Amino acid sequence: MKMTDVGVFTGKVLDRLEESPDLAWAVDEEQRIRFMNRSCEEALAVRADEAMGKECFRVFKSLTSRGKAQCRPNCAAITGAKAGACPAMTLMRLRRPRVPEQWLMCSFFVLDASESSFLMLHVAGQVTEMVEAWSVLENYASRASGGKYLSP
């Protein structure tokens, strides 16, 4: 979905991400969704025009690898961006009704930053098969070591 009130560089970045197979979405400093590409629409089963302006944590009900809410008011990414830095990436578990959960590796980028506002771009790729394989290996290692294996 096109954004009209962004700088030239940001506009070009978002144009390139529109057709990307990776999920891409952007939120403002108040965590309102300002951009969502087609891959994101398909993964969430939510149209971009329905998500625009909504708080991201109400649309993305994702969890951390430990089962805690990833997308929430004042999440680590938005808090870091407000302080002038944000995490480079994180693993997130996306859950939706009637659809198998998906694991995503999400990277964050701050765009169009000024003293009072910014746009935080999220770009996420599917890593479900990798996470499931890692889980199988961890279970095997734990059994083979008599429960002494601890995951890193």
Side-chain angles (χ1 to χ4, degrees):
M1 169 156 270
K2 289 266 189 204
M3 288 184 56
T4 56
D5 58 340
V6 296
V8 173
F9 173 76
T10 298
K12 287 182 179 183
V13 169
L14 298 180
D15 284 346
R16 288 232 147 163
L17 288 170
E18 184 61 44
E19 301 296 327
S20 172
D22 291 326
L23 282 69
W25 66 98
V27 301
D28 62 19
E29 67 283 352
E30 294 176 8
Q31 293 182 266
R32 294 177 305 211
I33 296 173
R34 303 275 310 281
F35 168 82
M36 182 185 288
N37 73 352
R38 287 192 179 107
S39 296
C40 197
E41 287 179 303
E42 291 170 9
L44 293 173
V46 174
R47 289 192 352 243
D49 60 348
E50 294 171 355
M52 286 305 126
K54 290 185 179 171
E55 294 167 316
C56 54
F57 52 87
R58 300 200 188 283
V59 177
F60 292 85
K61 296 182 169 103
S62 67
L63 304 172
T64 66
S65 58
R66 297 179 187 256
K68 299 193 186 282
Q70 178 92 36
C71 296
R72 63 185 188 281
N74 298 311
C75 67
I78 208 81
T79 301
K82 287 178 178 178
C86 68
M89 65 177 50
T90 190
L91 187 63
M92 56 192 296
R93 185 170 48 169
L94 189 60
R95 300 179 90 181
R96 301 171 326 263
R98 300 174 303 282
V99 178
E101 72 180 17
Q102 298 176 58
W103 286 92
L104 305 171
M105 183 58 74
C106 185
S107 299
F108 308 97
F109 307 92
V110 176
L111 302 171
D112 282 357
S114 69
E115 287 186 28
S116 61
S117 68
F118 59 86
L119 192 64
M120 179 178 288
L121 178 63
H122 302 64
V123 179
Q126 282 280 0
V127 293
T128 302
E129 290 178 7
M130 180 186 77
V131 171
E132 289 173 352
W134 183 257
S135 178
V136 169
L137 289 172
E138 279 186 319
N139 288 336
Y140 175 77
S142 180
R143 282 191 215 130
S145 67
K148 295 177 184 169
Y149 173 79
L150 298 175
S151 64

